[in-house]
Amino acid sequence: MRTASIALAMLAPLTMAHGPKQIWDGGKPATPEGVVTGRFTYQFEGETFDGYVAHPANPTGLLPGAMVFHQWYGEGEVEQWRAEQLAHTGFVAFAVDMYGQGQRATSREEAVALVGPARGDAARYHRLLARLFEVFIDNYPVDPTKISVSGYCFGGQAVLEIVRRGYPGVVAAAAFHPSTTNLTATIPPTMTENVQIHYPELEPAGDEGLAFFEEELRYGEAMGWTTFKYGGASHGFTDPTNAVYDAKQSRLSHEYYHALHYELGLVEHKDSHYDTVGLACDPSRPNMCGEYSCTCSASSRRHLLFSTAPSVCTCA
């Protein structure tokens, strides 16, 4: 039964249904203080690619590395924002380009034209993934044993492929509204812990899409994986330039991702610049809120089990 389920996963539809594009309300947030950014051009099989790197200013020694894989429109401001979030917590963060320099989509039709060839040749696809790790580690002060990968939509699929194949040094992985279609013959997955899948309730592939990948993980006897499902959310819910963007669910999903880094000891605090304000905190763990404070006050809601209103603690 497991083998049959996994085979079906490999035949799952490749089409991704996005909400229409929208103007980012307020635009991309300013780069956090203390973070340095720049373009990063690299070569792959005779083609030029153009990504984006963000890192703490004046790093000393090797830092943990983070790779951000773009959605089907290509690397842009949203991926740059996510890289800056990660850099703010102490990573050297690389928003990769998987299409090629100048290859970006502005419409659904253009995205379809780019995404098909990008993953149509599975062997080339995996050679490109391997090349991304190589150029990142070779050109930046990255600890090759401490790499986290995250991706969205098309990029979320890349993260799942990394989990399936296993890449040296990858210790954490998070896929946001990913296509779960299996592009590789590697079954079961090689990476068996610290894997997160952030899946919207209204994903076009439905519950089956998530169940397929969960079955792969079970088949591989993976020990440390977590799936999060977001009620009422649609494919693209973490993208501020998408009409289906859900700010609260997006923030929570990234809080879970940053918390994984904190728990693994990759960073000293989660990303306060973007994600911790207004979130629940524990006053016994002062670093949870980063540069903010964990403030507690009596809840306005009473509970039958308490004679007095319980305290509510949030980052503020």
Side-chain angles (χ1 to χ4, degrees):
M1 181 63 70
R2 283 181 171 178
T3 303
S5 297
I6 293 170
L8 285 172
M10 299 180 71
L11 298 176
L14 291 177
T15 304
M16 290 166 280
H18 289 248
K21 295 284 282 183
Q22 68 175 9
I23 301 297
W24 191 343
D25 185 19
K28 175 184 169 294
T31 301
E33 183 178 353
V35 171
V36 176
T37 66
R39 303 302 304 177
F40 174 39
T41 301
Y42 48 97
Q43 303 294 315
F44 170 69
E45 298 187 355
E47 297 181 51
T48 300
F49 292 74
D50 183 25
Y52 182 86
V53 173
H55 59 82
N58 305 314
T60 58
L62 298 180
L63 299 178
M67 300 172 72
V68 180
F69 289 82
H70 58 76
Q71 38 75 32
W72 75 339
Y73 287 101
E75 179 270 329
E77 283 194 330
V78 175
E79 290 75 26
Q80 295 163 19
W81 175 49
R82 295 304 184 190
E84 291 173 8
Q85 287 181 298
L86 290 158
H88 184 63
T89 67
F91 283 93
V92 179
F94 175 25
V96 311
D97 168 22
M98 294 188 70
Y99 287 163
Q101 190 172 48
Q103 299 296 306
R104 304 292 188 269
T106 59
S107 68
R108 178 184 176 85
E109 292 72 25
E110 291 177 357
V112 170
L114 288 172
V115 78
R119 61 183 179 186
D121 181 340
R124 178 188 179 279
Y125 180 94
H126 280 282
R127 290 197 304 273
L128 175 56
L129 289 181
R131 177 62 174 162
L132 292 172
F133 282 89
E134 179 183 20
V135 298
F136 184 35
I137 293 169
D138 287 350
N139 287 277
Y140 290 93
V142 174
D143 185 334
T145 68
K146 296 179 178 179
I147 297 177
S148 177
V149 294
S150 60
Y152 306 81
C153 173
F154 165 76
Q157 183 177 39
V159 168
L160 298 188
E161 286 297 294
I162 290 167
V163 170
R164 288 176 175 119
R165 282 286 184 99
Y167 282 75
V170 176
V171 295
F176 298 84
H177 39 89
S179 167
T180 57
T181 303
N182 193 326
L183 300 180
T184 179
T186 302
I187 298 175
T190 302
M191 186 175 176
T192 59
E193 59 184 350
N194 304 325
V195 177
Q196 295 183 349
I197 301 95
H198 298 272
Y199 202 81
E201 178 190 9
L202 304 180
E203 181 70 32
D207 292 345
E208 293 82 4
L210 180 59
F212 286 145
F213 187 69
E214 290 178 332
E215 186 71 3
E216 288 188 62
L217 290 166
R218 293 188 190 97
Y219 187 70
E221 299 182 353
M223 299 289 292
W225 55 274
T226 308
T227 57
F228 301 85
K229 195 167 183 181
Y230 298 86
S234 299
H235 184 85
F237 75 95
T238 66
D239 181 357
T241 67
N242 195 311
V244 302
Y245 177 56
D246 185 322
K248 179 181 179 180
Q249 305 256 46
S250 174
R251 184 181 68 177
L252 289 173
S253 65
H254 286 84
E255 172 70 8
Y256 296 135
Y257 177 44
H258 292 306
L260 176 60
H261 296 153
Y262 179 65
E263 295 299 330
L264 290 174
L266 298 176
V267 298
E268 294 182 359
H269 64 84
K270 293 174 286 184
D271 192 356
S272 60
H273 187 79
Y274 292 96
D275 287 310
T276 62
V277 176
L279 294 183
C281 60
D282 180 351
S284 68
R285 298 178 64 184
N287 289 333
M288 285 185 71
C289 295
E291 63 197 43
Y292 295 93
S293 299
C294 186
T295 303
C296 301
S297 60
S299 171
S300 60
R301 299 180 63 185
R302 301 299 293 269
H303 194 285
L304 293 176
L305 296 179
F306 301 99
S307 57
T308 59
S311 293
V312 174
C313 301
T314 58
C315 297

